[in-house]
Amino acid sequence: VVGREVMGQETKLIYQRAPMLRFHIAWPLSADEVEVHDNSMPPMGGRNPGTLAGLHTDSEYGHPEGEVNFFLPVNARTSGTNSLFVEGEADRGDFEPFALNYGEMMMWNGNSCRHCSPRNISNQTRVSFDFRVIPGSLWKEPPKKKGFFQLGSYYLDATALELD
């Protein structure tokens, strides 16, 4: 899926050992909640009930620089609150949900762009695969104290032959 078209002339690709399978459960508004819901942007601060994660960047959790995120939903359509809300550039605050159809994948920078999954008030549970890669030229072995993101544990290494 991720080859020369995405990573250019890289001869080495570091990839996340196991993609994350996520379920963003549908939790529509109750009748009482509908009365006060104003259809504006979902709250982006903190972690709200029914959310997968509060607003964050992956670097806040120790992910290495150079990491590239991929979001691959398997629903017929992913948009609005059953999607992932991401700002276009770091600290810009222009949060938008990814709008994708089945078979489409989004490549984005979760390391510096803030993102979250707000409460999914749609009627459709989102199922997605999320994974990360690092171009080999950008790989720097993290300090041993951040052992979770070591090559051979969280990440594996693909050679140029595997990219073709």
Side-chain angles (χ1 to χ4, degrees):
V1 169
V2 179
R4 296 242 182 262
E5 301 80 32
V6 174
M7 292 295 151
Q9 296 303 308
E10 291 290 331
T11 58
K12 182 176 182 178
L13 182 67
I14 308 299
Y15 63 96
Q16 184 177 341
R17 175 183 291 249
M20 290 176 282
L21 175 62
R22 297 190 193 260
F23 296 86
H24 190 37
I25 306 299
W27 188 358
L29 298 171
S30 68
D32 292 338
E33 291 172 309
V34 169
E35 290 180 17
V36 296
H37 186 68
D38 64 3
N39 287 323
S40 64
M41 177 72 105
M44 291 292 149
R47 184 166 179 188
N48 301 304
T51 62
L52 290 174
L55 184 63
H56 69 281
T57 63
D58 290 351
S59 63
E60 294 170 18
Y61 292 97
H63 286 264
E65 290 182 31
E67 189 178 70
V68 179
N69 296 57
F70 291 86
F71 175 68
L72 177 62
V74 295
N75 299 59
R77 176 85 178 140
T78 301
S79 63
T81 61
N82 85 340
S83 190
L84 184 64
F85 278 70
V86 178
E87 60 185 348
E89 291 181 20
D91 298 318
R92 199 159 70 182
D94 59 341
F95 297 95
E96 293 287 335
F98 289 143
L100 301 169
N101 294 313
Y102 180 79
E104 295 178 332
M105 177 171 62
M106 183 63 69
M107 181 174 81
W108 60 288
N109 184 351
N111 218 29
S112 61
C113 292
R114 294 174 295 168
H115 55 282
C116 71
S117 292
R119 177 176 167 182
N120 180 3
I121 62 172
S122 78
N123 291 316
Q124 183 181 40
T125 293
R126 178 188 86 222
V127 180
S128 63
F129 289 99
D130 302 354
F131 61 95
R132 298 165 173 92
V133 300
I134 301 173
S137 62
L138 299 177
W139 173 254
K140 295 178 189 150
E141 192 70 34
K144 293 298 178 196
K145 66 181 179 178
K146 293 194 176 187
F148 186 73
F149 296 111
Q150 297 292 325
L151 192 58
S153 59
Y154 188 83
Y155 296 107
L156 296 177
D157 161 352
T159 64
L161 295 175
E162 293 170 317
L163 292 175
D164 290 327

